Every structure is written in structure tokens, then in C-alpha cells.
């Protein structure tokens, strides 16, 4: 089973200081080291630890800081 979320800015303005958080659904398990931003500012692999880049995983919560800024 694969869980993915896709976010896209369809407006005319750049996204700045955007934060996305989600809870991993019950019955699913996060695979450490698989958090990634596919395109846009900050694209690339994101670590699971808090405070060292644009993302983090804590328990069942996933958080990504997206956009510019």
C-alpha cells in the first residue's frame, strides 16, 4: 500500500511560508527516509528529523514547509 499527497499552487502568486501537515492513516506505517519534495523550492530528499530542513516526521504526523521563504 502506498500513501502519497500532492499539493499544487494554481494561483497567480507564489506560495510563501506554506506549511502542510498530515496524519498518517491508521493501519499504515511510515517508512523512514522516504519523505521527499518532488518539485519547486527546496525540492529533494527531506530528512525525518525536526529542525534541519523543510520537513519532519513525529509519531504519525508528517510536516513539510513549502514554497519560498
Amino acid at each position: 500500500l502506498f500513501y502519497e499527497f500532492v499539493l499544487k499552487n494554481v494561483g497567480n502568486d507564489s506560495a510563501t511560508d506554506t506549511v502542510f501537515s498530515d496524519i498518517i492513516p491508521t493501519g499504515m506505517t511510515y517508512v523512514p527516509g522516504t519523505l521527499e519534495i518532488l518539485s519547486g523550492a527546496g525540492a529533494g530528499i527531506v530528512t525525518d528529523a525536526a529542525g534541519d530542513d523543510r520537513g519532519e516526521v513525529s509519531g504519525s504526523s508528517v510536516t513539510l514547509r513549502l514554497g519560498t521563504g
Side-chain angles (χ1 to χ4, degrees):
L1 192 55
F2 185 73
Y3 180 69
E4 176 181 59
F5 47 85
V6 177
L7 305 169
K8 183 176 181 180
N9 179 359
V10 296
N12 294 323
D13 295 323
S14 297
T16 57
D17 298 324
T18 302
V19 177
F20 172 80
S21 292
D22 198 24
I23 302 296
I24 298 168
T26 302
M28 298 193 78
T29 303
Y30 173 72
V31 176
T34 60
L35 197 55
E36 184 175 6
I37 299 173
L38 297 177
S39 65
I45 301 295
V46 181
T47 66
D48 300 339
D52 61 352
D53 57 20
R54 292 177 171 258
E56 61 201 61
V57 179
S58 178
S60 63
S61 178
V62 177
T63 301
L64 291 167
R65 287 169 290 288
L66 305 165
T68 58

